[in-house]
Amino acid sequence: MNPMALRCSDKDNVAVLFEENVTAGTDVDVRDKRGNTMVIKINEAIPYGHKLALAAIAKGEDIIKYGESIGIATRDIAPGDYVHIHNMDSKRGRGDWKE
Amino acid sequence: MEFMGYVRENGRVGSRNHVAVIPSVNCANEVAKRIAAAVPNTRSLNHHQGCCELPPDLDRVTLSLTGLGMSPNVGAVLIVSLGCEGTDVDYMAQHIAETGKSVEVIRIQELGGTRVSIEKGTEIAQKLADKIAPIKRQAVDMSEAIMSIKCGASDATSGLASNVVIGYVADKIVDLGGTVVFGETTEFIGAEHILARRARTPEVGRKIYEIVERMENRAKSLGCDMRKGQPTPGNIAGGLSSIEEKSLGAIVKSGTKPIEGVLEYTDVISNQKGLWIKDTPGREIETLTGMAISGAQAMCFSTGRGAPQGFPTMPVLKICGNPHTFARLSEDMDVNAGRIITGEKSIEEVGEEAFERFVRVLSGEKTHCEELEYYNSIDIYTLGPVI
């Protein structure tokens, strides 16, 4: 059985992986709330509870989880890429950004 | 449906029957702590405030300590004053006494120092404990329940399992006519539009945006990215990449009911029913304290990475969303919501289990924090500098 990831909403372009020690090149079963599954090959190791991209996300585009924006891509992201603070940024609480 | 609670003179109902020893200022902590250690069923509320703060903060501390003393989980109160604090001890004593419970005050400088204050305070606390000991639990309707909510040491499982379970319990309590309070305004950032849509009135919706803006401006005031402060390094290691992601998972614990209004940090619940927001920061100790000030009889606390802390006068039930954490910290965690992630149980099944456990806690069953006696600190959310 492939490692399992959950997609919270149909609008989401990321899913959360719930399996430990998953390495690059592994096929992951991405499940939605209705029980549908899509298979995505991950491009790099992703830790338990962390996110993988389900689609290509261009730099500056929103990262969507729970059907809502959780930030923006800081570089181009490919399907199967690990998505975390190295390639996405928060848009809120940014005292370091000029208005 | 009913639970077994302590009905107080003012009609409010407690889940515990403690004597609270309240230091009016941090300088009285040690005396309060030693008194509480000497008398069974007595809890000291040690904090770090009460002096050399700007007047609005001193008022906040006075109101907070008053609210903690008014809690229906507290049967009697001993206030330990140093004698030169910035808080208003007379106000505390008077307003706590208005609930009908016994309130005593000792003043360390007047009594002649630490040793004699511990002796005198212990004597008084023992008398108070003897006085409240005969109070028996009675069956009361679940509409008397006041549940508070918090999440701490969150990870990616929190928003998908433990917070969902608490949301399920919150909806049930509201349906039974009870009261639910949630807070952590910092963790509304990026999710405020969803909460505002659930506001009972447009005015409540505006208030939600207002408290979030105020909190975000505070966070931005030092000119840096808030990440690392929020989300925390632990959240980030657990897979949460931004405050928006943390918030969207965090608000799930409030369930689905309309939001009736926004309480200020020092507000005490009188007869408000349904789901309420209290304006608190995300940090655990100030939020637990704020919820106890509200008069909540017990808290449902969601965690992914494992937060073990409790509160002196409010039982805290730990609902853990991460199955690996639950296995590692099983002595600290009360309910395993990780079984939702592994697919062993449904949200409804774990939700029912958590609800039943919560009702048993209201009726006197100890939480793991209480068994471990991990409940010895509190802290009050102040806004200005220490001066």
Side-chain angles (χ1 to χ4, degrees):
Chain A
M1 216 167 94
N2 292 335
M4 184 264 296
L6 293 175
R7 179 187 206 173
C8 304
S9 156
D10 292 342
K11 294 177 189 164
D12 292 1
N13 54 17
V14 291
V16 183
L17 180 69
F18 288 108
E19 184 76 40
E20 293 188 309
N21 308 314
V22 181
T23 52
T26 306
D27 283 334
V28 170
D29 286 349
V30 179
R31 281 192 224 153
D32 67 17
K33 285 191 172 166
R34 292 184 304 278
N36 301 324
T37 300
M38 65 189 267
V39 178
I40 289 209
K41 191 183 290 295
I42 59 169
N43 307 326
E44 50 204 318
I46 300 178
Y48 181 96
H50 289 235
K51 293 176 288 299
L52 58 118
L54 302 176
I57 307 166
K59 182 179 173 179
E61 279 182 3
D62 283 302
I63 311 290
I64 310 284
K65 183 183 170 189
Y66 301 107
E68 303 281 341
S69 172
I70 60 164
I72 48 168
T74 52
R75 63 176 89 148
D76 291 341
I77 296 171
D81 279 1
Y82 176 29
V83 178
H84 199 27
I85 55 172
H86 60 284
N87 57 6
M88 68 163 282
D89 236 346
S90 174
K91 291 192 283 188
R92 303 293 298 272
R94 298 303 298 258
D96 56 329
W97 283 2
K98 297 266 186 289
E99 288 298 329
Chain B
M1 183 167 190
E2 293 176 326
F3 70 97
M4 299 297 289
Y6 296 98
V7 181
R8 302 297 177 194
E9 275 192 35
N10 62 352
R12 298 186 53 212
V13 180
S15 71
R16 297 293 180 270
N17 191 35
H18 297 302
V19 174
V21 183
I22 303 180
S24 62
V25 61
N26 65 325
C27 322
N29 278 356
E30 192 59 34
V31 170
K33 189 176 116 187
R34 305 256 197 112
I35 293 168
V39 183
N41 203 30
T42 298
R43 301 283 164 82
S44 62
L45 301 176
N46 301 329
H47 59 90
H48 298 103
Q49 311 293 344
C51 191
C52 298
E53 303 177 83
L54 294 166
D57 273 343
L58 290 171
D59 290 344
R60 259 174 110 85
V61 176
T62 295
L63 290 171
S64 295
L65 296 175
T66 304
L68 292 169
M70 289 169 70
S71 163
N73 285 3
V74 170
V77 173
L78 169 62
I79 299 171
V80 181
S81 155
L82 178 61
C84 57
E85 56 273 41
T87 51
D88 188 339
V89 173
D90 292 338
Y91 179 96
M92 288 179 215
Q94 187 195 327
H95 284 80
I96 296 170
E98 279 170 11
T99 63
K101 66 187 78 172
S102 297
V103 182
E104 301 281 346
V105 180
I106 57 168
R107 293 181 169 81
I108 298 169
Q109 290 167 346
E110 213 174 273
L111 278 175
T114 304
R115 192 179 303 278
V116 67
S117 299
I118 294 169
E119 281 169 17
K120 180 74 181 160
T122 302
E123 196 182 300
I124 295 171
Q126 188 61 59
K127 277 187 194 148
L128 292 171
D130 292 343
K131 190 176 175 187
I132 65 170
I135 304 173
K136 294 278 173 278
R137 290 183 183 271
Q138 302 171 35
V140 292
D141 191 77
M142 270 304 285
S143 59
E144 298 291 340
I146 305 175
M147 175 175 100
S148 60
I149 303 176
K150 162 92 181 96
C151 56
S154 299
D155 69 12
T157 65
S158 303
L160 294 169
S162 46
N163 287 344
V164 189
V165 164
I166 294 180
Y168 181 93
V169 176
D171 283 355
K172 279 199 80 147
I173 302 267
V174 171
D175 283 340
L176 289 165
T179 309
V180 175
V181 196
F182 73 108
E184 301 173 84
T185 309
T186 325
E187 297 169 29
F188 299 166
I189 295 175
E192 60 269 62
H193 56 295
I194 300 169
L195 292 174
R197 283 201 293 266
R198 282 168 54 200
R200 175 67 76 185
T201 64
E203 194 194 334
V204 172
R206 276 194 295 278
K207 183 76 184 168
I208 293 170
Y209 279 110
E210 188 188 309
I211 61 171
V212 172
E213 189 184 359
R214 203 161 65 185
M215 187 65 81
E216 190 170 13
N217 285 340
R218 285 189 84 199
K220 284 156 77 172
S221 65
L222 290 184
C224 55
D225 182 354
M226 72 187 270
R227 189 152 71 183
K228 192 170 171 182
Q230 283 277 17
T232 66
N235 297 148
I236 294 168
L240 300 175
S241 309
S242 66
I243 187 62
E244 297 96 309
E245 183 177 12
K246 183 174 177 178
S247 297
L248 290 161
I251 62 161
V252 173
K253 67 186 184 290
S254 68
T256 60
K257 301 295 174 184
I259 296 164
E260 305 295 340
V262 177
L263 304 168
E264 292 297 331
Y265 184 77
T266 55
D267 284 348
V268 173
I269 286 173
S270 47
N271 49 14
Q272 294 98 329
K273 299 291 181 186
L275 178 67
W276 290 77
I277 284 174
K278 176 165 259 201
D279 184 19
T280 78
R283 193 161 73 177
E284 194 162 308
I285 192 65
E286 285 88 351
T287 304
L288 265 59
T289 303
M291 293 304 176
I293 292 166
S294 307
Q297 296 131 347
M299 169 179 275
C300 272
F301 187 116
S302 160
T303 187
R305 298 177 67 76
Q309 182 162 246
F311 194 83
T313 53
M314 177 182 67
V316 179
L317 189 70
K318 297 289 161 95
I319 320 270
C320 182
N322 186 319
H324 303 294
T325 302
F326 188 85
R328 272 198 306 276
L329 277 72
S330 59
E331 270 185 75
D332 293 86
M333 301 293 117
D334 293 285
V335 175
N336 182 6
R339 291 169 297 167
I340 294 168
I341 301 289
T342 57
E344 294 163 71
K345 294 273 181 189
S346 68
I347 289 162
E348 290 73 18
E349 285 170 318
V350 182
E352 283 298 321
E353 183 186 323
F355 173 74
E356 283 166 20
R357 186 77 204 282
F358 183 76
V359 177
R360 293 205 303 274
V361 168
L362 289 181
S363 299
E365 186 174 293
K366 283 187 176 179
T367 64
H368 283 187
C369 305
E370 287 179 293
E371 280 164 4
L372 292 164
E373 299 183 7
Y374 191 166
Y375 48 55
N376 290 308
S377 44
I378 78 161
D379 225 329
I380 297 161
Y381 172 44
T382 52
L383 299 173
V386 172
I387 53 171

